[in-house]
């Protein structure tokens, strides 16, 4: 993962009020959820705020409907995930399955990101 200048976490949900309504309806009625939402929102929100400050590279978060065309093409069908921006494009830092393994735990997610960045 050469030369990552920024991390981008992509939720598996649309942003905005209608996106939130759709997400919560899916969570309640279809047991659909976003493992990135579980980490950065809800019960672990305060814990994630502490973890985020310890990351060596800044991370931004976007929703499905906020992706530019290049990010949309790169992440189509694989969200939630974390990608890294490089001089030549994007690289995957954390996959959907790796994020699921964090089970909503902000500290596990922080450790995973740091491990991935060290192994670049």
């Amino acid at each position: 993962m050469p030369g990552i200048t920024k991390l981008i976490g992509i939720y598996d949900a649309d942003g905005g009020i209608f996106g939130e309504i759709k997400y919560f309806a899916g969570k309640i009625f279809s047991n659909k959820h976003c493992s990135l939402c579980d980490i950065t929102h809800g019960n672990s929100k305060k814990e994630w705020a502490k973890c985020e400050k310890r990351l060596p590279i800044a991370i931004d978060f976007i929703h499905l409907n906020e992706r530019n065309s290049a990010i949309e093409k790169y992440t189509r069908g694989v969200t939630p995930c974390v990608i890294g921006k490089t001089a030549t494009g994007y690289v995957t830092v954390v996959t959907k399955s790796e994020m699921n393994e964090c089970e909503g735990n902000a500290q596990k997610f922080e450790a995973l990101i740091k491990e991935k960045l060290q192994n670049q």
Side-chain angles (χ1 to χ4, degrees):
M1 294 179 213
I4 295 174
T5 57
K6 181 165 80 170
L7 296 171
I8 305 165
I10 301 153
Y11 295 111
D12 192 25
D14 285 338
I17 188 71
F18 293 112
E20 286 188 34
I21 291 169
K22 182 179 171 186
Y23 174 76
F24 285 112
K27 190 170 183 172
I28 292 168
F29 298 113
S30 306
N31 200 26
K32 183 181 184 225
H33 76 100
C34 167
S35 52
L36 184 56
C37 294
D38 294 344
I39 293 166
T40 63
H41 293 68
N43 296 338
S44 61
K45 187 174 185 172
K46 287 181 183 175
E47 187 60 38
W48 170 246
K50 294 176 197 171
C51 294
E52 185 176 5
K53 290 176 185 172
R54 296 189 294 256
L55 291 177
I57 299 175
I59 186 167
D60 291 332
F61 295 97
I62 59 175
H63 296 89
L64 294 175
N65 61 334
E66 298 164 340
R67 297 176 294 177
N68 66 34
S69 60
I71 293 174
E72 193 278 328
K73 185 176 180 182
Y74 187 78
T75 62
R76 186 179 303 138
V78 298
T79 57
C81 62
V82 175
I83 62 173
K85 182 169 177 40
T86 70
T88 57
Y90 300 102
V91 293
T92 300
V93 178
V94 178
T95 66
K96 180 178 183 171
S97 62
E98 291 169 331
M99 201 174 301
N100 285 335
E101 290 173 14
C102 292
E103 300 174 323
N105 184 304
Q107 291 175 333
K108 282 185 185 179
F109 185 55
E110 174 195 6
L112 177 61
I113 291 172
K114 286 180 174 179
E115 176 188 328
K116 293 291 202 119
L117 291 173
Q118 282 180 344
N119 293 334
Q120 58 177 317

